[in-house]
Amino acid sequence: MTKTFLSLEWKKFFRSAAFTKGMVIKILMIIGALYFGGIAIVLGVFSFKILQKAVPDVDPLITVNQFLMYWVLGELAFRFFMHQLPVMNIKPLMVLPIKRNKVIQFLLNKTIFSFFNLIALFFFIPFSAVLLYKGYPPFQVLGWLLSLGSIVLCLNFVNFIINKNNTYFYIIVSIAALSIALNKYDVISFTSISESIFYSLYQTPYLVVIPLLLAYFLYKFNFNMVAKQFYLDGIIRKKVKQVETKDLSFIDQLGDIAPFLKNDVRMVWRNKRPKQVLLTGFFFVFYGLFFFTFDMYKDNYFFTAFASIFITGGFLLTFGQYVPSWDSEYYKLMMSQNIPYYQYLKSKWSLMVVGVVIAYILSIPYIYFGLETFAMISAAALFNLGLNSFITLYGGALNRVPVELNTKANAFGNTQGFNATQLLISIPKMLGPYVIFIVPYYFLGFKAGVIALALSGIIGLVFMKYFLKFIEKTYQKGKYKTIAAFAEK
């Protein structure tokens, strides 16, 4: 049966109308996997020697174990955003004489062979090989490695759960932030706790039974969770909700773009995915705490510029990358109306601008870290307003992946709305501000770099109409391709 499922997946990929686009994305993903996999292997080989020099009085294995708890929490948060769950159209299979247990097992087994599981092993296996080469007891090293492999599987199945419920994700992020803060100010030493937990897996190899049993328990939990939804009437039945209405008459003062802005505000208020993006943008305001509170980042203007872009541009980057995918469910209807594209795009741009302004106001307390830091945040806010907003909006013209507003990514449908095109268009958004800042900074100093970054945003605002007109033409050219792509779900 597994062979049959693999054959169906193969045919689905090659017979898709978007086969060429899918092939390009797969090639880019393979290149990215080889790159990051290679980095992990190199780190695994040389980490022992690097840690010996960095912390000469501590066993490198102990040093690694001290930070494995942060690796667990960090990987869970990373997987929530980046690890796309496997997709399988189960409706046609439900009317065939195929046992549902076989389908669910295939679905869960697909998650085991994800690159996100392999990337950790690309580090731990070479590191364990170095430990064996250095004379560490083979039985203990292999027990430790097997335990970490089991923990990787646990993280995989936990990600399956937290992708169903955002509450789990917020709990994990809160625990990670709290543990970092408590450890930094010596309230509780989480590095010591991490060391005692993970080093015991090395000292007592028999404890490998615990993560193995935990991985098995999580597998069965996910199996039962999916099995409860594995009914045709449960899949196709729509959940009826009472719609809340809000008085948005104050938006009418904004003129022609008011109807579009009202539509977007209602969309964010009523649907899960936009709410997640809104909350993510809010959390990005605190992104600077990670960089500005650690001595290793304080005097590094690359990280200051990087953090500043995210502090004020979190909502812009997360919401803007899904334009026009937010409207994919009714995009064909919109395009059949006499709607000026310019006003539609201007409304999206205006909403992103409001997000940047609110984030900037919330970032005022960063003055505590110094006027230079806040000056960089202010310049980054102007860059986000005047350039990043247009770059992000332009990237939307190349994004033709539909988004289901009220459904998170799950085993039965792909609702991620993110693709390799978006990843490529994010390069100028990330590197652009740094390049604009670093060139004048290198020749004329910090103030010149900040002024250059701020001026780039001001110039963008001055030429707002020109940029929007240019983006409008791009959207118009790809209008029918976008409609066709959104229709293919």
Side-chain angles (χ1 to χ4, degrees):
M1 188 55 67
T2 301
K3 184 179 178 181
T4 303
F5 289 144
L6 288 173
S7 175
L8 290 173
E9 295 286 305
W10 183 265
K11 290 173 182 175
K12 176 185 173 183
F13 175 70
F14 279 97
R15 292 176 179 177
S16 170
F19 167 70
T20 305
K21 177 184 173 183
M23 181 63 73
V24 171
I25 291 173
K26 292 290 183 185
I27 292 171
L28 289 173
M29 291 174 65
I30 290 170
I31 293 172
L34 291 174
Y35 174 75
F36 289 108
I39 291 176
I41 292 171
V42 170
L43 285 175
V45 172
F46 293 103
S47 286
F48 189 93
K49 191 173 183 179
I50 294 170
L51 292 173
Q52 266 187 331
K53 291 183 177 180
V55 194
D57 299 329
V58 182
D59 185 346
L61 179 59
I62 292 178
T63 305
V64 168
N65 284 309
Q66 287 177 343
F67 293 93
L68 285 181
M69 183 180 289
Y70 295 112
W71 159 68
V72 169
L73 294 172
E75 180 155 333
L76 278 175
F78 179 74
R79 282 172 181 260
F80 181 83
F81 288 104
M82 299 300 295
H83 188 184
Q84 183 173 308
L85 298 179
V87 178
M88 189 172 184
N89 185 8
I90 65 166
K91 292 179 186 178
L93 302 177
M94 286 183 166
V95 295
L96 298 175
I98 300 175
K99 292 183 178 180
R100 67 172 184 169
N101 288 3
K102 294 289 184 181
V103 180
I104 298 171
Q105 286 171 3
F106 176 76
L107 187 68
L108 293 177
N109 290 340
K110 279 179 68 177
T111 69
I112 296 175
F113 297 99
S114 166
F115 174 74
F116 289 88
N117 296 333
L118 298 176
I119 190 70
L121 297 179
F122 285 161
F123 171 82
F124 290 123
I125 291 175
F127 185 77
S128 300
V130 173
L131 292 178
L132 294 173
Y133 177 77
K134 295 290 183 180
Y136 286 71
F139 183 66
Q140 292 179 229
V141 172
L142 292 176
W144 179 76
L145 178 61
L146 185 57
S147 297
L148 292 180
S150 303
I151 291 170
V152 169
L153 290 179
C154 292
L155 294 176
N156 176 71
F157 295 126
V158 168
N159 180 59
F160 211 100
I161 297 169
I162 65 177
N163 264 277
K164 307 286 183 181
N165 192 331
N166 291 330
T167 305
Y168 294 116
F169 169 72
Y170 299 130
I171 291 172
I172 290 168
V173 171
S174 300
I175 292 173
L178 183 63
S179 63
I180 291 172
L182 293 175
N183 191 77
K184 177 176 174 58
Y185 294 104
D186 298 323
V187 178
I188 299 175
S189 178
F190 280 92
T191 53
S192 299
I193 295 172
S194 178
E195 177 190 335
S196 62
I197 293 173
F198 290 97
Y199 195 65
S200 63
L201 296 174
Y202 167 78
Q203 290 179 313
T204 313
Y206 300 106
L207 291 177
V208 68
V209 175
I210 296 174
L212 281 173
L213 288 175
L214 183 58
Y216 175 76
F217 169 77
L218 288 169
Y219 180 91
K220 295 297 291 184
F221 182 86
N222 278 286
F223 184 94
N224 294 331
M225 183 175 65
V226 175
K228 288 179 181 179
Q229 304 175 31
F230 203 93
Y231 295 97
L232 189 58
D233 57 345
I235 296 291
I236 63 176
R237 185 172 61 240
K238 294 287 185 181
K239 195 173 182 179
V240 178
K241 290 186 177 181
Q242 185 176 357
V243 176
E244 298 180 27
T245 59
K246 298 292 178 183
D247 182 17
L248 302 175
S249 58
F250 65 93
I251 299 180
D252 292 333
Q253 303 174 24
L254 299 176
D256 294 338
I257 65 171
F260 302 103
L261 280 174
K262 282 184 177 180
N263 189 46
D264 287 333
V265 171
R266 292 190 187 104
M267 176 188 70
V268 173
W269 184 262
R270 295 173 179 174
N271 298 285
K272 290 181 182 179
R273 287 292 301 278
K275 281 183 180 178
Q276 293 163 13
V277 166
L278 184 64
L279 287 172
T280 303
F282 174 74
F283 280 118
F284 269 122
V285 174
F286 304 97
Y287 198 68
L289 295 176
F290 178 79
F291 289 98
F292 303 152
T293 55
F294 288 91
D295 294 333
M296 61 185 294
Y297 298 126
K298 280 183 179 178
D299 299 323
N300 191 319
Y301 288 120
F302 172 79
F303 289 109
T304 304
F306 183 77
S308 298
I309 291 297
F310 279 97
I311 289 170
T312 57
F315 176 76
L316 179 151
L317 296 171
T318 51
F319 178 84
Q321 71 177 347
Y322 294 128
V323 176
S325 294
W326 292 123
D327 306 308
S328 60
E329 295 187 0
Y330 48 86
Y331 195 76
K332 185 185 293 186
L333 175 64
M334 275 182 45
M335 293 300 103
S336 65
Q337 309 298 312
N338 186 22
I339 294 175
Y341 231 131
Y342 181 86
Q343 292 176 10
Y344 169 78
L345 293 173
K346 188 178 179 181
S347 70
K348 301 292 185 186
W349 178 81
S350 300
L351 194 61
M352 290 189 281
V353 165
V354 170
V356 173
V357 172
I358 293 174
Y360 178 68
I361 294 171
L362 293 175
S363 71
I364 291 176
Y366 280 113
I367 293 177
Y368 171 81
F369 295 102
L371 291 176
E372 285 192 352
T373 299
F374 189 68
M376 179 69 82
I377 293 174
S378 302
L382 284 170
F383 175 84
N384 281 327
L385 288 173
L387 284 184
N388 240 2
S389 57
F390 297 115
I391 296 172
T392 304
L393 203 58
Y394 177 79
L398 309 176
N399 182 26
R400 300 189 178 103
V401 180
V403 167
E404 295 179 23
L405 295 175
N406 219 27
T407 310
K408 263 204 62 62
N410 54 55
F412 308 133
N414 181 0
T415 60
Q416 293 298 314
F418 184 83
N419 55 33
T421 304
Q422 291 299 95
L423 195 61
L424 292 174
I425 204 69
S426 67
I427 294 175
K429 291 189 285 187
M430 298 297 101
L431 295 181
Y434 178 69
V435 172
I436 294 171
F437 168 80
I438 203 65
V439 174
Y441 165 75
Y442 183 79
F443 291 103
L444 300 173
F446 176 79
K447 289 183 179 179
V450 170
I451 291 171
L453 188 60
L455 280 176
S456 67
I458 294 171
I459 292 171
L461 290 173
V462 171
F463 291 97
M464 178 197 73
K465 289 185 178 180
Y466 171 79
F467 286 136
L468 283 177
K469 286 288 185 182
F470 175 78
I471 296 170
E472 179 190 11
K473 291 178 182 178
T474 307
Y475 272 81
Q476 289 282 13
K477 286 180 182 177
K479 174 180 175 179
Y480 297 104
K481 289 182 180 179
T482 304
I483 292 172
F486 286 163
E488 185 184 330
K489 293 188 180 181

